[in-house]
Amino acid sequence: MKNIDWKTYEAGKVWDELIDTENRPRPHGEQLARLLAGMDADELASRQTAADLAIKEMGITFTVYSDETRGAIDRTWPFDIVPRIIAKNEWDTIEKGLKQRVTALNRFIDDLYHDQEIIRAGIIPREIIASSSNFRPQCVGISPRFGVWAHICGSDLVRDRDGTVYVLEDNLRVPSGVSYMLENRLVTKRVFPELFEDYAPLPVDDYPSQLYDALAALSPRDIEYPEMVVLTPGVYNSAYFEHSYLAQQMGCELVEGRDLYVDGDDCVYMRTVGGPARVDVIYRRVDDLFLDPEAFHPDSLLGVPGLLRAWKAGKVALANAPGAGVADDKVVYSYVPDIIEFYLGEKPVLPNVPTWRCMEPEALADTLANLENRVVKPANESGGYGMLVGSASTEKEREEFAKRLKQDPRNYIAQPVLGLSTVPTIVEKRMEPRHVDLRPFILSADQQQVTMGGLTRVALRQGSLVVNSSQGGGSKDTWIVPLR
């Protein structure tokens, strides 16, 4: 079989993370390109097969919901063995921009639940917050420790065809994916050990201990080992693998709502075989509205009655705090550059993707006239659901989407179709470019930490821009490497 020849690799017209437009490896990827070129297609394919088997052995799965089967399907995690490499000097700027962004967003959320200075200053219209499905009036006046509401944030980054890195969206409710970032590194080490002879990618395996420290810092009790739990909706949740993985890595109990109760002293207790154990910190992976039937949906069986009351009384810490999702609204996202300037007096380090707010009449008219060239997203969906990629849509789909836009313009934003960057990916013993994004994770408590890299998601279908695993996407290991 022939070896990989980068001169025949068709990077296309977008930015490729490994190979430049002259079909030469980028400086930080020279050793990787050389090593891959030294292997023939059969060897690469066998490494990919070994990775697939390792993922099955390790039980790395995710769950998708299917209309066809009317239920959830558990699937092995899709992974491509060719890593994505980012130079450390570029990453330093990205890390700085992420910290700036999350700092400003936490100031913003805290302000919304207190004085609303940003609204009184006319930076954000009051009606946007009033109509946000993630603003929780029950949280007004509450002051979480350190003024931090979004303790774990996953911001999605994309690189356009000119090499500029943009923030595509921020996930501040219950962002998923960090467990796959950790497992991807383990699988790469297992099936491609010689890659690490030439590279020393910065480590990601310290994330569980960083998460543990961040959560422990939130404890209302000043004790050496606070009792912390991960609250999951249960085995049928799409991210259940991650919930159990993180609990196991941190040495915490994985609990469901029925395992906890709030007593007359407003403290939260866990039912154990040794009797009740007071809980100090809850890393909750249950959506706001199902968290506490006493405060939100009264028919929720997933939450803990009285949990919000205990949080308000300062007897337990919740991460992320209820109500943090108000900054997750994609209409609010369009204001983040203004939010950074208002609270920090700084220019954003990382730019937003240009965004049209469909609630504005001119923007709506422009979007309707150019649907074929726009990506239209609902304000509060995730996982790639409910969106329109104009360039990949049919005329019928655009007509249906136009009706939705006219009926509820507040619920939509539009963005240009970016030429997302690509990374070489193994496709049937060949190396082909596939589009990617990147989700780093930012921890915020008494200090901030950003993962070294993050979860690179890859659109496995040729030409597709949809990278979500729930929509047929896969993943890659992400390396941050110093330039020699």
Side-chain angles (χ1 to χ4, degrees):
M1 294 295 291
K2 290 183 179 178
N3 287 17
I4 301 297
D5 182 0
W6 293 114
K7 291 180 180 176
T8 63
Y9 176 75
E10 297 180 358
K13 298 179 181 178
V14 299
W15 183 282
D16 191 90
E17 301 284 342
L18 183 64
I19 304 297
D20 68 15
T21 55
E22 303 295 325
N23 279 53
R24 296 171 304 196
R26 299 191 184 280
H28 54 277
E30 286 179 351
Q31 291 99 324
L32 173 63
R34 194 180 310 123
L35 190 143
L36 291 173
M39 296 181 177
D40 65 31
D42 277 343
E43 185 173 359
L44 277 174
S46 69
R47 301 290 182 108
Q48 182 63 55
T49 301
D52 295 341
L53 289 172
I55 287 170
K56 280 186 181 176
E57 270 181 27
M58 295 162 75
I60 309 171
T61 62
F62 74 107
T63 305
V64 293
Y65 301 105
S66 167
D67 289 337
E68 294 175 4
T69 60
R70 297 181 180 178
I73 305 171
D74 215 26
R75 292 182 174 168
T76 54
W77 180 244
F79 172 72
D80 181 83
I81 60 173
V82 180
R84 180 221 195 121
I85 299 184
I86 300 173
K88 176 68 165 55
N89 59 343
E90 182 183 25
W91 184 254
D92 289 341
T93 303
I94 293 173
E95 181 179 358
K96 181 181 177 184
L98 291 171
K99 287 182 175 178
Q100 177 198 53
R101 192 173 182 95
V102 175
T103 299
L105 285 171
N106 271 306
R107 295 272 297 274
F108 169 68
I109 300 167
D110 199 54
D111 184 24
L112 289 184
Y113 290 111
H114 290 88
D115 299 329
Q116 300 197 337
E117 291 178 359
I118 197 166
I119 292 176
R120 288 193 280 115
I123 306 297
I124 292 186
R126 184 176 299 279
E127 58 266 29
I128 287 180
I129 304 304
S131 61
S132 171
S133 61
N134 287 309
F135 181 78
R136 306 280 174 244
Q138 299 91 333
C139 298
V140 170
I142 298 177
S143 298
R145 198 167 191 188
F146 310 119
V148 173
W149 292 69
H151 309 94
I152 301 102
C153 174
S155 292
D156 293 344
L157 308 179
V158 293
R159 192 195 296 277
D160 200 7
R161 62 186 73 240
D162 65 354
T164 303
V165 173
Y166 293 93
V167 180
L168 184 65
E169 62 184 51
D170 303 291
N171 299 279
L172 298 104
R173 283 176 282 180
V174 284
S176 295
V178 75
S179 61
Y180 300 115
M181 175 194 78
L182 299 168
E183 295 284 37
N184 284 352
R185 178 63 53 84
L186 293 177
V187 174
T188 304
K189 285 181 176 176
R190 188 163 166 174
V191 303
F192 240 153
E194 62 267 51
L195 286 181
F196 294 84
E197 293 176 5
D198 291 319
Y199 285 103
L202 295 177
V204 295
D205 55 3
D206 50 357
Y207 178 82
S209 62
Q210 292 175 348
L211 176 61
Y212 181 95
D213 290 343
L215 296 175
L218 305 177
S219 172
R221 289 194 294 173
D222 186 17
I223 54 178
E224 190 171 3
Y225 296 107
E227 185 71 65
M228 304 193 297
V229 299
V230 177
L231 176 61
T232 175
V235 295
Y236 296 110
N237 185 268
S238 61
Y240 183 76
F241 169 83
E242 177 154 303
H243 306 164
S244 58
Y245 179 89
L246 290 176
Q248 187 264 336
Q249 291 292 309
M250 290 192 292
C252 299
E253 296 292 339
L254 178 68
V255 299
E256 297 183 25
R258 59 190 174 183
D259 299 318
L260 305 176
Y261 67 94
V262 178
D263 214 340
D265 57 359
D266 283 344
C267 293
V268 180
Y269 294 90
M270 174 171 52
R271 295 182 173 90
T272 76
V273 292
R278 182 177 167 182
V279 175
D280 300 292
V281 184
I282 299 176
Y283 179 24
R284 57 97 177 192
R285 301 296 296 259
V286 175
D287 287 341
D288 282 1
L289 295 179
F290 299 94
L291 200 54
D292 177 1
E294 197 177 282
F296 301 114
H297 282 339
D299 55 349
S300 171
L301 300 177
L302 302 177
V304 184
L307 191 56
L308 201 74
R309 177 163 38 87
W311 179 54
K312 282 183 176 178
K315 300 294 181 68
V316 70
L318 299 177
N320 286 344
V326 66
D328 205 302
D329 187 316
K330 292 181 179 61
V331 177
V332 170
Y333 155 89
S334 70
Y335 287 95
V336 171
D338 302 312
I339 290 171
I340 292 172
E341 290 209 46
F342 181 76
Y343 292 108
L344 306 181
E346 302 170 1
K347 293 291 183 186
V349 175
L350 296 173
N352 268 18
V353 175
T355 302
W356 290 270
R357 302 171 194 125
C358 296
M359 62 185 292
E360 297 172 356
E362 286 186 12
L364 176 61
D366 185 84
T367 300
L368 290 170
N370 296 283
L371 270 181
E372 199 167 348
N373 302 310
R374 299 279 187 269
V375 176
V376 186
K377 301 175 181 177
N380 290 293
E381 291 285 345
S382 60
Y385 293 104
M387 61 186 282
L388 176 83
V389 179
S391 57
S393 65
T394 63
E395 187 173 347
K396 184 181 178 184
E397 288 170 333
R398 292 194 292 276
E399 287 175 358
E400 290 175 355
F401 229 86
K403 290 178 186 172
R404 294 187 213 169
L405 283 171
K406 291 174 186 172
Q407 287 172 355
D408 188 10
R410 158 64 178 89
N411 193 41
Y412 291 94
I413 62 162
Q415 296 172 329
V417 179
L418 299 182
L420 300 190
S421 65
T422 57
V423 176
T425 301
I426 297 175
V427 180
E428 297 178 352
K429 298 187 179 181
R430 298 189 306 277
M431 203 66 83
E432 294 187 3
R434 290 292 185 268
H435 296 290
V436 293
D437 78 351
L438 177 64
R439 176 176 291 181
F441 295 86
I442 307 99
L443 296 174
S444 303
D446 54 338
Q447 55 184 318
Q448 278 187 313
Q449 305 270 2
V450 181
T451 51
M452 281 296 155
L455 178 66
T456 288
R457 302 183 299 178
V458 53
L460 294 175
R461 286 193 287 269
Q462 186 177 22
S464 173
L465 298 173
V466 181
V467 299
N468 308 77
S469 53
S470 55
Q471 306 286 315
S475 70
K476 287 175 170 287
D477 194 5
T478 309
W479 291 7
I480 307 300
V481 297
L483 276 178
R484 295 180 178 177

